[in-house]
Amino acid sequence: QARWLIKSPRACWHRSMARTSRWGPDEGSTEVRGRSPGRGDRDKRPASPSKKKGSSKHRTSGGGDRSGKEKASATTTSKSGRTRSKASPRRRSSGGSPARSASRESSPAASEGGARSRPSSAAAPSPKKSKSPSRARKSVEFQHRRTLGEVLRCKKGKRTDIKPSEWDKFKYASKEEVLTRPIEYDSQTVPIPRVKRKDITPEWFYEHFASKCQPVIVEDVCDDWPAMRRWSIDALEERFRHIAFKVAKDDKGKKLRMKFKYYADYIRRQQDDSPLYLFETNVDDNGYIRALCQDYEVPDIFPHDWLALVNNDARPPFRWFCIGPKRSGTTVHTDPLGTAAWNVVTHGCKRWVLFEPGESKKAVKGRDLLKDGEDDEAIMYFDYLLPRIKKAHPELKVYEGLQKPGEVIFVPGDWWHGVLNLEDTVAITQNYCGPDNFDMVWSKTRKEREKVA
């Protein structure tokens, strides 16, 4: 760049005159565009027709009657000059358009003696075109730098049928009415029975609900659990900040894990229609999170756990620590091997729907009632699929209810059930085998888990 700056203004003027006489729009004219005629015009001569077209020598020796000092200044081929000629072949080519040449001659840099002129290859790049505002998507801003990458990794692994950017395409985050909509009870929709723990005994519970395979919500079961104060999102983040929990599974069944500090960040800011649901099954085997087992105890109304007699390596999964962001949930299903389940909420609120075991899978899932473009995630099920099911099958008996902190719900074996988290919810659930469901569990275990049987 310094070598460009030492070019004398007079030499640059002669070079520009030579280009104008050879390539300019009016060959032979003594006037240079952007510069008034004056000193040096007497040296201007038309280009010699004998010169080879495009020759660099012809370009640098346009004046024929110049003094020896001026001629040496104009015709000396310095090292920087050769480098410039190689770096900018467009200026040497005889095929350049006159308009482009004229625009170069009329530029302010050329009219000022070329002191600030630069090769064309060094021109500043044109600014990138910005995306149209209509196409730009407003992304969620997380607190941690790596949260977004971790969330995208788990989303891509869990659902390969849609893009991560489509997890909020139905905009349920702005439809709070779906979460606050009251349950309307009638002859078809009946409430899940409720009792208070202080009013019953374990024997009474077994006789009236467990042995009859009837669902029920029991209030005030775990008010004295340490989990009631230690399982808030903030408290869990403080305890398990760098511990990875399972938040999804991919198509091959591989567990997708995320550090809790990133998951807590995701919970507080997510806008997804059906967010990532933390379902940790490895509570006993993982030494880092085994401390969760010290924060609760199995309610005394569920004294039986015959699957505990099986070798630990062969025992099917039976305990799940769950954190469900609002709008998350599970679609209608039955628990494995005919086992019964109990579920306790420590923080948040769940909405439940249950169907009796004899109902058909097609009727309770309602996938044949979906319209084009609709999905069957938990929030869509409670929003429009469940009302359609009730209308299409008026004979279907539907049990619904809300479960709040400190309450336990009993779900008998083989009952269809689905859940929607109305708030950011923390819960613990276990499946068991006992005298109330042993025959069913034994029959299904022999068919599905021969080694366990």
Side-chain angles (χ1 to χ4, degrees):
Q1 184 178 5
R3 290 172 179 170
W4 279 92
L5 296 177
I6 65 175
K7 286 290 185 179
S8 66
R10 188 173 185 81
C12 293
W13 182 84
H14 282 298
R15 186 166 61 255
S16 64
M17 292 291 293
R19 283 198 297 269
T20 305
S21 65
R22 181 65 186 88
W23 290 335
D26 188 12
E27 185 171 334
S29 173
T30 60
E31 182 177 354
V32 181
R33 296 180 64 183
R35 182 184 181 91
S36 60
R39 162 180 157 179
D41 288 350
R42 62 183 180 275
D43 296 333
K44 180 74 179 71
R45 287 187 178 181
S48 175
S50 62
K51 295 294 182 178
K52 188 174 180 180
K53 197 172 185 179
S55 170
S56 61
K57 183 178 180 180
H58 168 71
R59 290 172 55 193
T60 56
S61 58
D65 294 336
R66 289 174 290 183
S67 62
K69 186 175 181 180
E70 294 173 355
K71 187 174 182 180
S73 174
T75 59
T76 301
T77 55
S78 64
K79 185 175 181 180
S80 63
R82 289 195 298 269
T83 304
R84 183 191 62 153
S85 299
K86 292 180 180 180
S88 52
R90 290 184 179 180
R91 306 183 77 177
R92 296 183 59 188
S93 172
S94 60
S97 65
R100 185 183 301 174
S101 177
S103 65
R104 287 198 300 264
E105 295 303 327
S106 61
S107 64
S111 64
E112 292 176 9
R116 290 191 298 273
S117 64
R118 298 183 60 95
S120 59
S121 61
S126 59
K128 295 183 179 180
K129 294 182 180 180
S130 59
K131 293 185 178 180
S132 173
S134 60
R135 293 185 179 182
R137 294 182 63 90
K138 185 178 179 181
S139 59
V140 178
E141 294 184 1
F142 294 105
Q143 179 182 5
H144 294 287
R145 177 177 56 87
R146 294 188 59 184
T147 302
L148 179 60
E150 291 294 293
V151 170
L152 291 177
R153 174 180 62 84
C154 294
K155 286 183 178 180
K156 290 178 181 178
K158 181 181 180 181
R159 293 198 63 176
T160 57
D161 57 325
I162 62 174
K163 299 178 181 178
S165 59
E166 297 176 343
W167 278 53
D168 62 346
K169 64 180 179 180
F170 297 107
K171 306 302 178 186
Y172 272 100
S174 60
K175 301 177 182 178
E176 288 294 328
E177 183 271 337
V178 178
L179 301 179
T180 58
R181 184 184 304 165
I183 303 174
E184 297 181 0
Y185 297 107
D186 51 30
S187 59
Q188 182 184 23
T189 304
V190 298
I192 300 173
R194 305 181 72 93
V195 297
K196 292 184 179 294
R197 176 63 187 90
K198 63 181 181 179
D199 297 334
I200 64 173
T201 62
E203 295 76 17
W204 187 93
F205 175 83
Y206 177 81
E207 179 182 354
H208 290 83
F209 290 102
S211 63
K212 295 181 178 180
C213 294
Q214 291 295 314
V216 64
I217 295 177
V218 184
E219 302 174 1
D220 305 326
V221 172
C222 51
D223 292 341
D224 57 344
W225 282 9
M228 296 299 293
R229 63 179 185 276
R230 302 190 68 184
W231 284 8
S232 66
I233 301 299
D234 293 339
L236 290 171
E237 183 181 12
E238 185 177 351
R239 294 173 64 188
F240 305 104
R241 183 176 181 83
H242 300 288
I243 308 303
F245 288 78
K246 174 198 162 191
V247 298
K249 287 197 304 184
D250 61 14
D251 295 338
K252 298 180 180 179
K254 180 182 177 182
K255 297 178 181 179
L256 302 175
R257 297 184 175 276
M258 184 190 303
K259 286 186 178 180
F260 197 87
K261 63 177 181 179
Y262 301 134
Y263 188 72
D265 189 15
Y266 167 73
I267 289 178
R268 298 184 182 110
R269 295 166 175 82
Q270 58 86 20
Q271 300 291 312
D272 295 335
D273 298 325
S274 182
L276 294 169
Y277 203 155
L278 188 152
F279 250 85
E280 182 56 64
T281 60
N282 202 24
V283 177
D284 295 302
D285 298 334
N286 191 331
Y288 294 106
I289 60 178
R290 193 178 298 154
L292 290 171
C293 297
Q294 302 173 4
D295 297 335
Y296 80 98
E297 59 184 9
V298 178
D300 58 357
I301 56 177
F302 305 105
H304 306 290
D305 185 15
W306 292 355
L307 284 175
L309 302 175
V310 180
N311 187 295
N312 287 335
D313 296 333
R315 183 177 185 177
F318 70 100
R319 187 195 340 249
W320 292 269
F321 173 71
C322 318
I323 300 180
K326 60 181 178 180
R327 298 183 301 279
S328 64
T330 57
T331 55
V332 174
H333 64 284
T334 58
D335 285 343
L337 302 179
T339 54
W342 58 263
N343 182 297
V344 173
V345 168
T346 63
H347 298 78
C349 181
K350 291 178 179 287
R351 179 178 175 180
W352 288 80
V353 60
L354 292 92
F355 302 92
E356 295 177 351
E359 305 297 347
S360 67
K361 179 179 179 180
K362 180 179 179 181
V364 300
K365 285 186 171 291
R367 288 179 178 172
D368 57 324
L369 302 176
L370 284 172
K371 300 178 181 179
D372 292 340
E374 294 180 341
D375 208 341
D376 64 344
E377 293 291 340
I379 192 164
M380 291 85 166
Y381 185 90
F382 283 87
D383 182 19
Y384 50 75
L385 262 185
L386 185 56
R388 294 176 192 171
I389 291 173
K390 294 178 181 179
K391 186 176 181 179
H393 304 277
E395 76 286 352
L396 196 65
K397 192 173 183 179
V398 183
Y399 295 79
E400 290 193 66
L402 299 180
Q403 181 189 12
K404 299 178 181 179
E407 300 178 350
V408 58
I409 184 173
F410 168 64
V411 181
D414 237 20
W415 273 66
W416 297 98
H417 57 280
V419 181
L420 176 64
N421 293 307
L422 306 181
E423 304 171 2
D424 297 336
T425 306
V426 183
I428 186 74
T429 181
Q430 285 191 199
N431 287 39
Y432 74 90
C433 172
D436 52 309
N437 61 357
F438 175 76
D439 293 340
M440 183 189 305
V441 173
W442 171 249
S443 176
K444 292 194 173 186
T445 302
R446 289 184 61 186
K447 182 184 296 186
E448 302 176 19
R449 296 286 187 97
E450 295 181 0
K451 293 184 177 180
V452 177

